[in-house]
Amino acid sequence: MPPKAPRIYPIQPPPFPIPKSFILSNGLKVFLIEGGSQELIKLEIIFFSGRPYESQPLIGRVTNSLLIEGSDQITGSDLAEKLDFYGTSLELPFNLDAGRISIYLLNKHFKEVLKLIGKIFQNPAFPIKELDAYKNRNQARLKEDLEKIDVLAYRSITELVFGKEHPYGYNSSEEKYLKIGRKELIEHFEKWYKAENAAVILSGKLPTNTRDILEGTLGQTIHNGFNGELPKIKRETLLSYGVYPMEMENNQQTAIRVGGNMFNKSHPDYVGLFVLTTVLGGYFGSRLMGSLREDQGLTYNVYAHLETFRYGGFFGIGTEVSKGKEKEAIQCIHQEVKKLKEKLISNEELKMVKNYLSGSFLNLLDGPFNQASALRELLIEDLPLDYFEKENVKIRSITSQNLRDLANKYLNLDKMYWAIIGNTNL
Amino acid sequence: MIDFYKFSLSNGLRVVIHEDFSTPFVATNILYDVGARDESPDKTGLAHLFEHLMFEGTHEVSDYDEPIQRAGGENNAFTNSDTTNFYNVLPARNLETALWLESNRMFDLNLNQNSLELQKKVVVEEFYETCLNQPFGDAWHHLSALAYKIHPYQWPTIGRNPDHISQFTLDEVKKFYDKYYYPGNAILSICGPVKASKAEQLVYKWFGGLPESKRGLKNLPLEPKQCAKAIQSEYAKTPVDAIFMAFKVPKRTDFQFYTADVLSDILAGGDSSRLYSKLLKKKKLFNSIDAYVTGNIDPGLLVIEGRPAKGVNLEAAEMEIWKILEELKVHSLSSRELDKVKNKISTQLSLSELSSVNKAINLSFYELLGDASMINKEYDYYNEVTPEQVRSCADEILKEESCSVLQYQSAN
């Protein structure tokens, strides 16, 4: 006889640690998260220079991507060779609110790498030739992306939810790339890439003289003098709710995406709605996965999510199904949302979701690099450092009644947008 | 350095345990020594379909994911040409839940017509979503069929086509389970804040009672040496042009594999690499360019893939790549260039040791290759590579007659 099923223990995540922080002489704020068993450091420099701060579409992304093409102190190819030589892996991620420089390095090269990174900020060259090549590469990539139904559906839904010209709503296009010139890149850089408008997160096994090294590099080379300007986001008149189809003939599948305007993590209902969204489609055992995939076999993947930004957020549902199966899928989505509005979630299911979320919370704490990513999210969304702590406590106290109320308050699929890409003959 | 403790049960299950008290999570991985290379040419995609069926519940546990989620963890799986892997990550105190579930589905899987029909549909949707509906999503289908004529690496893990998947019967699936899913064909690794003695005791508790089974010998055909360049062109199917070039590399346990991997990094590992800096940055002939080795157990491929820039035709693009390859055959690298690649590999190896799941997956894979301690020797193997070895490796591998070229020509 095999042994009996083991007992499952409840999880009690420890508190989220508050990182050490200090401000360099140029006004640059630094956070340190020490720890880890590898000889690694992750350096992340965050500039609040994303879409809400743009004078024209795409300028934020292009500026950030071209930061490493050389400056007064180093050429682009020299910089690339040296960063490769020290074994670093550098990325220039751009999310809607911030441009970043993100780099993993072995701690024995910390000082040398910081010196190199510091040089980036001494009048970046933004060479015309590199700008043109970048535009060409991105236009080609865009062409490829526009053949993907999931990409088309995402583009369509953000435009519908926020508006065609809204920072979180607009989409890249060949035309928008063409309008970007070198002069505008320099202007964007000089306005927003300032010490007081940035934050540094260093995580991993840090040397004892970290502060001195930072002061001698980034503390000197990132200019200060930020004028403190806040972005102004214009409200747009939106299209009416409903279905927005687009025919794509050469595909076997149709992408379905639902989207509705919501709020960000600072809203009092955020945590409840986040738990509700998880129940609906936020993990493998979710209602939508159970219905569309595990009962009906309509799809490989279906999800619901709450996407949040510094100045807003939205709720979405997405899936891809074989052509001809769209109606069934849409019906399932409606049914699952309806159930959440009418019936209370059982204690057992709620307990499972809470445990699952406690596990994810524990994951945020697992090692210095995960903690650094969590901290980055807080800084970008302008949240207090004890945010996750409070979120975790709030999740534990949520009841099925709360969730049913929230479903009725927010999950009104008739007051959302539906992008249907593929077969439109529904 | 990853310290580990390994042992085998009398039923043949191999076990590797790595204590790591720096994380609150424990990760487990079970590797089954079966992949797409064990399929027959007219019935492909079964190993991967079967991976899906492993989540369909057992006679004891009807919803397989539920207990893991209740334990605050996550599970997933992946299949490739060589192996099938199932992993769990969960708060360490709940390790036993993962072992219970894994042992349960190793002998007591509830295979039935309903779940088979359902997962066939799900996998066909996966086929469409990840391969057929993506620009260049069928590249691997074409390239592997071009590069391999005899060896089962000639089809991708997802299968040759959706019809193969739709046709599997319950009987075939049951036979597959009996043939490959038993302790002697599996390697279990556990990484996390658990004492090895405690983990060992739990492994005995959950797997010790499982029956022994004879391990069948693999009899995979050897791919004969390629003697002529193979070329295939796809017209008007993609929005932009692309070129894929594939060369055979030695098997995973051959020392030359490491040299070939270094070679691929010299070509495209980082912004200052040869192909990237010369063809993309300097000459601006490509919009993207990459090179990598597949890392298969049997002889795999070194693949170069690029999207030529506007106005650069595919022949010219290929010629420019050949020029870079030829240089590597003639001139040895400077020690700085080789050190650069080694430094990058060193960082990558450290990064790969950050996650417990990654370590668990790697430990079981190295144990399958013959010795889990390879995980600690990788850096030295790379470090021993010399400039002359890279040159002679380029000379041996990057030959025109052993090259397979796949071109995509867009309509415009």
Side-chain angles (χ1 to χ4, degrees):
Chain A
M1 262 305 275
K4 269 198 199 129
R7 181 178 161 205
I8 292 176
Y9 296 94
I11 309 134
Q12 272 143 354
F16 192 82
I18 301 292
K20 265 195 244 168
S21 74
F22 50 81
I23 296 173
L24 300 180
S25 59
N26 58 356
L28 181 61
K29 190 152 196 187
V30 179
F31 295 88
L32 304 184
I33 301 176
E34 291 186 65
S37 44
Q38 306 295 325
E39 301 301 314
L40 282 169
I41 292 175
K42 185 178 189 187
L43 163 69
E44 188 132 49
I45 314 176
I46 303 164
F47 293 97
F48 301 97
S49 61
R51 285 184 167 196
Y53 310 83
E54 289 176 333
S55 58
Q56 73 177 91
L58 297 177
I59 192 81
R61 178 183 296 278
V62 182
T63 305
N64 200 65
S65 303
L66 295 177
L67 282 177
I68 52 165
E69 299 298 343
S71 70
D72 280 357
Q73 296 195 346
I74 193 162
T75 65
S77 58
D78 198 15
L79 179 67
E81 198 274 341
K82 291 203 162 93
L83 286 173
D84 276 348
F85 183 75
Y86 289 119
T88 66
S89 69
L90 176 131
E91 284 176 41
L92 298 164
F94 181 83
N95 77 359
L96 295 188
D97 289 311
R100 284 151 40 209
I101 293 178
S102 173
I103 185 164
Y104 278 103
L105 56 132
L106 294 176
N107 55 12
K108 60 182 174 189
H109 301 310
F110 183 65
K111 195 173 176 182
E112 295 309 316
V113 172
L114 259 289
K115 275 190 199 162
L116 283 170
I117 297 291
K119 291 183 179 178
I120 292 175
F121 303 100
Q122 295 290 42
N123 296 326
F126 299 118
I128 291 275
K129 257 175 118 179
E130 295 305 330
L131 172 61
D132 288 343
Y134 175 85
K135 286 183 192 172
N136 288 337
R137 290 199 296 272
N138 276 270
Q139 283 164 3
R141 189 179 306 158
L142 183 62
K143 226 167 158 184
E144 206 173 313
D145 279 346
L146 293 180
E147 299 270 311
K148 299 177 185 165
I149 53 174
D150 57 325
V151 173
L152 291 169
Y154 191 79
R155 288 168 65 96
S156 165
I157 214 72
T158 51
E159 234 178 63
L160 287 163
V161 169
F162 292 106
K164 271 187 174 181
E165 277 152 42
H166 189 280
Y168 301 143
Y170 82 76
N171 284 301
S172 55
S173 67
E174 205 168 329
E175 206 194 348
K176 290 187 186 114
Y177 277 116
L178 285 176
K179 283 190 181 152
I180 288 179
R182 180 170 180 267
K183 192 171 135 259
E184 290 81 18
L185 293 179
I186 294 171
E187 277 168 15
H188 187 79
F189 176 84
E190 288 189 341
K191 188 162 180 187
W192 303 109
Y193 282 68
K194 293 279 200 234
E196 310 93 319
N197 190 44
V200 170
I201 304 174
L202 268 173
S203 49
K205 270 198 188 173
L206 304 173
T208 47
N209 57 347
T210 296
R211 188 173 179 160
D212 294 340
I213 293 176
L214 285 170
E215 185 58 57
T217 53
L218 303 181
Q220 304 301 312
T221 63
I222 299 183
H223 294 179
N224 55 9
F226 178 54
N227 65 9
E229 193 178 314
L230 287 172
K232 298 170 211 74
I233 298 177
K234 268 189 266 166
R235 277 192 93 91
E236 280 183 45
T237 327
L238 299 171
L239 297 172
S240 50
Y241 301 122
V243 178
Y244 289 81
M246 180 196 234
E247 187 79 34
M248 284 287 280
E249 279 177 3
N250 297 331
N251 266 280
Q252 287 92 342
Q253 285 183 313
T254 297
I256 300 170
R257 241 187 187 274
V258 188
N261 202 334
M262 288 293 160
F263 33 73
N264 63 14
K265 293 193 178 78
S266 49
H267 191 280
D269 281 339
Y270 169 79
V271 174
L273 192 58
F274 169 64
V275 175
L276 182 66
T277 307
T278 308
V279 173
L280 178 64
Y283 70 124
F284 199 86
S286 72
R287 298 278 182 98
L288 287 171
M289 264 312 228
S291 162
L292 274 85
R293 176 171 152 150
E294 297 304 305
D295 282 348
Q296 312 276 326
L298 291 170
T299 186
Y300 173 54
N301 192 21
V302 56
Y303 55 86
H305 65 145
L306 264 182
E307 212 162 307
T308 57
F309 311 116
R310 197 171 173 102
Y311 300 103
F314 80 102
F315 165 86
I317 298 173
T319 189
E320 279 154 64
V321 300
S322 271
K323 282 187 175 167
K325 300 284 185 190
E326 298 86 356
K327 268 189 188 158
E328 282 172 66
I330 292 170
Q331 213 179 356
C332 286
I333 293 173
H334 275 294
Q335 255 169 16
E336 291 308 323
V337 170
K338 195 168 165 231
K339 272 194 229 159
L340 290 175
K341 291 180 177 182
E342 290 173 357
K343 287 189 196 139
L344 286 176
I345 296 165
S346 72
N347 283 336
E348 217 171 298
E349 185 178 355
L350 186 59
K351 201 174 151 198
M352 177 172 77
V353 171
K354 285 182 179 182
N355 284 356
Y356 171 77
L357 290 174
S358 293
S360 325
F361 180 73
L362 195 58
N363 188 43
L364 292 182
L365 297 167
D366 186 12
F369 302 119
N370 285 4
Q371 287 173 29
S373 302
L375 174 62
R376 181 184 70 218
E377 205 177 308
L378 298 180
L379 296 178
I380 289 179
E381 291 192 35
D382 200 16
L383 294 163
L385 295 182
D386 62 354
Y387 173 80
F388 286 113
E389 197 69 46
K390 291 198 170 134
E391 177 183 284
N392 196 35
V393 172
K394 242 173 152 180
I395 288 176
R396 280 165 188 271
S397 66
I398 273 168
T399 66
S400 300
Q401 194 72 49
N402 296 149
L403 294 176
R404 191 174 63 182
D405 293 347
L406 289 170
N408 282 293
K409 192 169 173 188
Y410 293 111
L411 301 189
N412 301 312
L413 298 182
D414 298 333
K415 289 191 174 163
M416 291 191 190
Y417 298 97
W418 291 69
I420 312 272
I421 317 287
N423 178 18
T424 55
N425 188 15
L426 300 179
Chain B
M1 181 73 178
I2 296 175
D3 289 317
F4 59 86
Y5 165 65
K6 68 179 188 181
F7 61 95
S8 296
L9 303 189
S10 58
N11 58 20
L13 180 71
R14 288 161 281 175
V15 185
V16 188
I17 297 167
H18 163 59
E19 292 179 357
D20 176 6
F21 290 89
S22 73
T23 164
F25 286 100
V26 67
T28 69
N29 183 61
I30 290 208
L31 176 154
Y32 288 93
D33 185 3
V34 58
R37 68 174 177 166
D38 299 296
E39 297 162 349
S40 53
D42 54 344
K43 286 180 179 297
T44 64
L46 182 52
H48 168 253
L49 172 66
F50 199 85
E51 172 213 307
H52 278 245
L53 293 171
M54 284 287 278
F55 289 90
E56 286 295 290
T58 65
H59 296 98
E60 186 185 343
V61 192
S62 60
D63 183 339
Y64 190 81
D65 301 296
E66 193 264 346
I68 287 285
Q69 287 156 1
R70 217 148 34 87
E74 279 197 269
N75 57 7
N76 213 333
F78 64 92
T79 309
N80 56 37
S81 294
D82 297 321
T83 62
T84 312
N85 292 266
F86 300 87
Y87 57 87
N88 301 279
V89 197
L90 63 179
R93 221 183 156 190
N94 286 327
L95 166 63
E96 202 172 348
T97 299
L99 298 179
W100 161 56
L101 289 166
E102 291 298 354
S103 104
N104 213 265
R105 66 175 166 182
M106 195 186 278
F107 76 99
D108 187 36
L109 195 63
N110 181 7
L111 290 168
N112 59 66
Q113 199 66 47
N114 276 348
S115 54
L116 174 61
E117 292 312 316
L118 184 84
Q119 288 307 320
K120 278 165 36 172
K121 282 175 36 186
V122 170
V123 171
V124 168
E125 292 300 325
E126 183 181 358
F127 208 130
Y128 287 137
E129 192 175 321
T130 58
C131 296
L132 303 182
N133 286 349
Q134 299 290 335
F136 310 107
D138 59 358
W140 204 245
H141 280 83
H142 295 306
L143 200 62
S144 49
L146 204 57
Y148 294 97
K149 298 299 171 201
I150 308 286
H151 192 281
Y153 286 165
Q154 66 190 279
W155 58 85
T157 307
I158 189 87
R160 277 196 210 269
N161 58 56
D163 288 345
H164 276 196
I165 289 147
S166 307
Q167 285 159 8
F168 285 113
T169 65
L170 188 58
D171 190 46
E172 287 168 321
V173 161
K174 281 184 169 166
K175 280 191 179 135
F176 190 85
Y177 184 52
D178 289 342
K179 191 169 176 192
Y180 295 110
Y181 283 77
Y182 59 89
N185 201 44
I187 298 167
L188 165 66
S189 45
I190 301 173
C191 296
V194 187
K195 281 255 174 241
S197 53
K198 172 75 182 163
E200 181 175 11
Q201 181 202 332
L202 289 174
V203 170
Y204 270 99
K205 175 176 171 188
W206 289 104
F207 293 88
L210 302 193
E212 193 178 351
S213 231
K214 272 253 153 57
R215 213 164 141 209
L217 276 181
K218 281 186 197 281
N219 192 12
L220 295 168
L222 277 180
E223 182 67 22
K225 204 174 165 180
Q226 184 177 337
C227 298
K229 186 177 179 185
I231 305 175
Q232 184 176 337
S233 301
E234 296 288 312
Y235 292 101
K237 288 183 179 164
T238 52
V240 294
D241 292 356
I243 182 166
F244 292 76
M245 297 165 73
F247 303 88
K248 303 275 170 25
V249 298
K251 63 178 185 192
R252 187 64 179 75
T253 48
D254 192 308
F255 180 75
Q256 270 240 31
F257 168 83
Y258 296 93
T259 316
D261 198 18
V262 166
L263 181 60
S264 75
D265 283 348
I266 292 285
L267 287 170
D271 288 4
S272 72
S273 61
R274 298 265 177 126
L275 290 171
Y276 192 89
S277 70
K278 293 188 178 177
L279 301 189
L280 188 143
K281 291 296 279 184
K282 205 165 167 204
K283 292 189 169 178
K284 311 212 187 297
L285 296 169
F286 283 84
N287 285 328
S288 74
I289 194 146
D290 199 4
Y292 50 90
V293 293
T294 54
N296 295 108
I297 293 180
D298 296 327
L301 300 174
L302 184 154
V303 180
I304 297 170
E305 64 168 279
R307 314 262 200 278
K310 218 176 178 175
V312 179
N313 71 41
L314 287 160
E315 285 67 34
E318 187 182 334
M319 217 173 67
E320 292 289 338
I321 293 174
W322 278 112
K323 278 193 213 160
I324 303 280
L325 303 185
E326 293 305 327
E327 282 169 27
L328 285 165
K329 299 179 189 177
V330 183
H331 304 292
S332 284
L333 305 172
S334 69
S335 60
R336 182 169 169 101
E337 191 176 4
L338 185 57
D339 285 347
K340 178 183 79 178
V341 164
K342 289 177 180 176
N343 289 343
K344 285 206 91 136
I345 289 172
S346 166
T347 310
Q348 295 310 322
L349 288 173
S350 292
L351 282 170
S352 77
E353 290 178 8
L354 282 179
S355 115
S356 301
V357 192
N358 236 341
K359 280 190 277 192
I361 291 168
N362 288 342
L363 282 170
S364 39
F365 182 64
Y366 288 125
E367 184 60 20
L368 176 72
L369 289 181
D371 183 5
S373 70
M374 273 174 77
I375 201 167
N376 293 320
K377 295 176 188 156
E378 289 281 280
Y379 179 72
D380 291 336
Y381 293 153
Y382 283 111
N383 206 26
E384 281 164 24
V385 173
T386 66
E388 173 51 25
Q389 282 168 346
V390 176
R391 193 204 57 77
S392 81
C393 176
D395 198 32
E396 247 167 78
I397 290 177
L398 306 175
K399 287 201 169 98
E400 180 149 20
E401 68 263 26
S402 53
C403 179
S404 304
V405 180
L406 170 64
Q407 305 177 325
Y408 284 91
Q409 181 117 53
S410 64
N412 25 22

